[in-house]
Amino acid sequence: MDFELRRAREKLEKEQKERKERARLKLLREKKAKEEAHKQREAIEAAQRSRRIDAAEAQLKADQQMQESLIAGRGIVFYRLLEAVPCQGNGDKIKLPPSCFTELSDQGALDKGPMYFQLSLVHTEGSSSIEDIDKEKQGTTHSGVLEFTAEEGSVGLPPHVWSNLFSEGMVKSPLVEVRYVWLPKGTYAKLQPERVGFSDLPNHKAILETSLRQHATLSQGDILTVNYGELVYKLRVLELKPSKSVSVLETDIEVDIVDPFTTSDNIDQHVLLPLVIGSSQSGTVDEGKFVYYKFSIDNGTWEKISSGSSSVEIKLESEIDGGDTDLFISRHPLIFPTRHQHEWSSHDIGSKTLILTSKDKKLGAGSYSIGIYGFKGMTKYNISVTIQDDFNQKVGQQASSSSMSSAGTDTEQCRNCKHYIPSRTIALHEAYCSRHNVVCQHAGCGVVLRMEESKNHIHCDRCGQAFQQVELEKHMKVFHEPLHCPCGIILEKQQMVEHQASVCPLRLISCRFCGDMVQAGNSAIDARDRLRGLSEHESVCGSRTAPCDSCGRAVMLKDMDIHQIAVHQKG
């Protein structure tokens, strides 16, 4: 009996213990489930709060951007994301789609004067981080607008805008943010050329002004490209006033040009070294390269030269040790003479001397450039410019001519050398002359040579010029080797000189309206301008208007002379 009672009690205790354990585990599970549900509720609430905060921040940012756009655009809000496409053109004026014109016109932007836009590069995923790009190349610049003819969804960028907006190696069609902004008129700009030589250009600020006429804006950090003939100069915008981005339309800007950083990378051959008259300079020139010098003839010196009492002697002494040079002289505004653009030249082997006198119509008071060209090998040279007194030479020439005139009554012509010899010695002279001298039989030559000299005296088969045998190779290379003009024409030297002086569209001329040295361009499009002899640049430049001094009417510059005659009877 007791055994059965004990077993029943143990069984009951065991069942109670199991029930308690199950109840404890159930409580734990319920507690854990409550904790997980609480965490989920907190996460959902946190996500909802975050979304509400993000939405509020986005709305605040949008409101700020709208406010900034209203302020920047003076009440006009225009913002587009467009695909950048390169296009041809000078300056900073872009091409926008026609829909942009409609949107801007509806807001009255066309009534507020010239339109300006801020262009910013949109950095997408996979592109370089902004930290890896310097400030100037982060992709922000400003521009004007040329026309609204671009394809929808794209914006046409000229080379100036493209190079300032994108770094090298950028994808071909990145996204660009185009935003309408208002810009103040610029009052001051500080520019720095990337290499030396820009300040040597004659009236370089006028050249810069001509280049800026193709621009509507300037932004700090931009690179401005200035072309002068075949030369290209790049100037960095260091400082602008009154803001970091300004308008350059219809405003007078004070420009400061600071000296470039002179390093071995930005020094090239297009640098004018000063040369004082009466002194000399030494140096070396490599084959195919130029070394340039400049000198000036003041009014006092020119008076002596124009009177015939003095002349200019330019002497180039070269060391002939496997090398040779050529000498080219030009008068400014042609500041860098070349093989086919110059006023005077010498291609003699070895040392060379050019004597310029008042008989040369190209000579006058002003600045001149000397170009020393390395024809073959590296050559050491010494260049000098002196003013030579011609009094002694003139007196000698007059005495010689007077003695000849006095003896002319009793002279006979030598049958060999054709010189006039006194009659009393003509027989002796002819006997000696026939044995030692020979006359060149080439048509138009007739020069008298010593027997030993006649072996080296030859004429070019193509042009008939006379020279020594050793000069034939250089003559053929200099005068008869085809030259390539940058405009695409191939000519020999003489024809090339005439071509680049008169008809080449890339030649530099002085515009009769703006006074700057500019490329002539092709023939004017307008037939009336062609009849007036206006170049392509002068046809466009002369289309600008200016008030008449007599009546105040706005008249095109190229029609001002006709207006003065027809309206005011002024000849």
Side-chain angles (χ1 to χ4, degrees):
M1 178 66 79
D2 294 336
F3 175 75
E4 291 178 355
L5 290 173
R6 188 170 58 253
R7 288 188 62 185
R9 187 172 59 253
E10 290 177 353
K11 183 178 180 180
L12 179 61
E13 290 176 352
K14 184 177 179 182
E15 289 176 354
Q16 290 176 347
K17 187 176 181 180
E18 289 177 353
R19 284 195 298 271
K20 289 179 180 180
E21 182 66 21
R22 285 196 297 271
R24 188 181 67 82
L25 293 176
K26 183 178 179 180
L27 289 174
L28 290 175
R29 285 195 299 271
E30 290 176 352
K31 183 179 180 181
K32 188 175 181 181
K34 289 181 180 179
E35 290 177 352
E36 290 178 353
H38 180 69
K39 290 180 179 178
Q40 289 178 356
R41 284 196 300 273
E42 289 182 345
I44 292 172
E45 291 176 357
Q48 291 175 347
R49 284 196 304 271
S50 177
R51 284 195 294 269
R52 287 195 297 271
I53 292 173
D54 291 343
E57 290 179 350
Q59 183 63 37
L60 179 61
K61 186 176 180 180
D63 293 341
Q64 289 177 348
Q65 288 182 348
M66 179 68 70
Q67 190 67 22
E68 290 175 358
S69 297
L70 285 171
I71 296 173
R74 294 292 179 93
I76 297 174
V77 180
F78 175 82
Y79 169 85
R80 286 285 185 93
L81 280 178
L82 301 173
E83 183 181 7
V85 177
C87 67
Q88 297 297 321
N90 298 319
D92 65 345
K93 296 180 177 63
I94 62 175
K95 296 180 180 180
L96 291 173
S99 60
C100 297
F101 175 82
T102 304
E103 183 175 346
L104 289 166
S105 178
D106 291 342
Q107 298 187 55
L110 276 65
D111 301 329
K112 294 183 177 292
M115 291 181 286
Y116 308 106
F117 299 90
Q118 177 182 300
L119 308 179
S120 301
L121 175 63
V122 178
H123 297 277
T124 58
E125 294 182 2
S127 63
S128 300
S129 61
I130 296 180
E131 290 81 341
D132 296 334
I133 306 174
D134 56 40
K135 185 175 181 181
E136 288 76 18
K137 290 298 181 182
Q138 282 184 2
T140 299
T141 188
H142 293 77
S143 72
V145 59
L146 179 64
E147 54 191 29
F148 295 88
T149 58
E151 294 184 4
E152 291 296 334
S154 65
V155 53
L157 304 182
H160 167 81
V161 178
W162 186 279
S163 61
N164 283 298
L165 194 58
F166 307 128
S167 59
E168 295 182 3
M170 185 64 65
V171 291
K172 292 184 178 180
S173 298
L175 287 178
V176 173
E177 174 189 294
V178 181
R179 188 184 299 273
Y180 178 91
V181 295
W182 175 86
L183 295 179
K185 292 184 181 294
T187 58
Y188 173 80
K190 181 188 288 185
L191 309 177
Q192 182 182 47
E194 290 192 343
R195 62 184 178 92
V196 296
F198 180 74
S199 297
D200 291 329
L201 299 179
N203 203 3
H204 55 277
K205 287 194 175 182
I207 298 171
L208 177 61
E209 180 183 352
T210 301
S211 179
L212 284 175
R213 287 178 188 155
Q214 301 172 341
H215 292 256
T217 67
L218 275 183
S219 299
Q220 193 166 305
D222 278 0
I223 300 296
L224 182 65
T225 302
V226 178
N227 295 308
Y228 184 78
E230 300 178 20
L231 303 178
V232 178
Y233 296 91
K234 297 192 176 196
L235 290 79
R236 181 176 295 273
V237 182
L238 298 181
E239 183 181 353
L240 293 170
K241 292 181 182 180
S243 67
K244 292 185 177 181
S245 299
V246 298
S247 166
V248 295
L249 296 177
E250 299 178 357
T251 182
D252 292 328
I253 300 181
E254 179 186 353
V255 178
D256 283 342
I257 299 177
V258 299
D259 294 332
F261 294 113
T262 54
T263 64
S264 57
D265 296 332
N266 64 356
I267 295 179
D268 62 7
Q269 60 179 336
H270 292 101
V271 177
L272 290 177
L273 304 175
L275 181 60
V276 179
I277 292 180
S279 64
S280 62
Q281 294 283 346
S282 300
T284 58
V285 59
D286 295 327
E287 182 176 343
K289 300 291 185 180
F290 273 95
V291 176
Y292 291 106
Y293 293 89
K294 63 178 178 181
F295 69 94
S296 298
I297 298 177
D298 55 30
N299 292 328
T301 304
W302 171 241
E303 288 180 2
K304 293 174 60 179
I305 297 173
S306 60
S307 65
S309 61
S310 300
S311 61
V312 182
E313 181 181 272
I314 302 164
K315 189 173 184 179
L316 176 63
E317 298 176 341
S318 304
E319 294 184 6
I320 304 178
D321 187 14
D324 194 14
T325 59
D326 287 334
L327 178 63
F328 301 99
I329 313 293
S330 69
R331 184 177 180 180
H332 292 187
L334 179 57
I335 61 174
F336 295 114
T338 63
R339 296 172 61 192
H340 39 75
Q341 277 189 311
H342 53 266
E343 272 82 26
W344 304 275
S345 64
S346 176
H347 305 279
D348 296 338
I349 294 178
S351 298
K352 305 162 183 64
T353 301
L354 283 175
I355 298 178
L356 311 181
T357 66
S358 58
K359 296 180 180 179
D360 197 323
K361 295 181 180 179
K362 299 177 183 178
L363 190 65
S367 299
Y368 295 80
S369 294
I370 300 174
I372 302 174
Y373 177 72
F375 179 77
K376 183 172 65 174
M378 187 177 72
T379 309
K380 294 181 179 180
Y381 64 85
N382 185 278
I383 183 72
S384 63
V385 178
T386 56
I387 304 299
Q388 295 294 330
D389 193 351
D390 292 344
F391 278 119
N392 295 334
Q393 182 179 357
K394 283 197 166 190
V395 171
Q397 288 177 348
Q398 290 175 357
S400 175
S401 61
S402 62
S403 63
M404 284 297 295
S405 62
S406 62
T409 57
D410 191 19
T411 59
E412 295 183 22
Q413 187 181 36
C414 174
R415 287 173 292 182
N416 186 50
C417 66
K418 307 303 180 183
H419 289 174
Y420 286 91
I421 307 299
S423 300
R424 64 179 183 275
T425 60
I426 185 63
L428 184 62
H429 169 82
E430 287 185 342
Y432 179 87
C433 185
S434 60
R435 291 196 304 269
H436 296 86
N437 298 334
V438 63
V439 178
C440 178
Q441 300 301 317
H442 190 277
C445 183
V447 66
V448 180
L449 301 165
R450 303 287 292 181
M451 287 290 187
E452 56 273 14
E453 294 175 349
S454 63
K455 298 177 182 178
N456 293 324
H457 179 79
I458 59 174
H459 287 265
C460 176
D461 295 334
R462 302 178 67 172
C463 64
Q465 183 176 340
F467 43 81
Q468 297 294 315
Q469 180 73 40
V470 294
E471 299 175 335
L472 175 61
E473 180 182 356
K474 183 175 184 179
H475 171 84
M476 296 301 295
K477 187 171 184 179
V478 169
F479 290 94
H480 301 299
E481 186 177 81
L483 298 175
H484 295 259
C485 181
C487 71
I489 291 180
I490 301 176
L491 298 170
E492 291 186 357
K493 179 181 183 296
Q494 190 61 36
Q495 291 79 15
M496 182 64 73
V497 171
E498 297 174 358
H499 165 76
Q500 295 201 343
S502 57
V503 297
C504 180
L506 300 180
R507 72 188 187 279
L508 293 178
I509 63 170
S510 178
C511 176
R512 66 186 74 181
F513 302 114
C514 65
D516 298 340
M517 295 300 301
V518 296
Q519 291 183 356
N522 297 312
S523 299
I525 299 176
D526 193 330
R528 294 174 300 174
D529 292 343
R530 289 198 298 270
L531 292 175
R532 296 180 190 177
L534 299 182
S535 65
E536 183 180 20
H537 167 85
E538 289 175 328
S539 177
V540 176
C541 186
S543 298
R544 295 181 292 119
T545 60
C548 173
D549 295 336
S550 301
C551 63
R553 284 180 55 189
V555 182
M556 286 195 295
L557 295 176
K558 59 185 178 183
D559 293 335
M560 188 66 73
D561 53 349
I562 300 176
H563 171 79
Q564 293 288 347
I565 295 172
V567 178
H568 304 293
Q569 287 77 44
K570 292 183 179 180

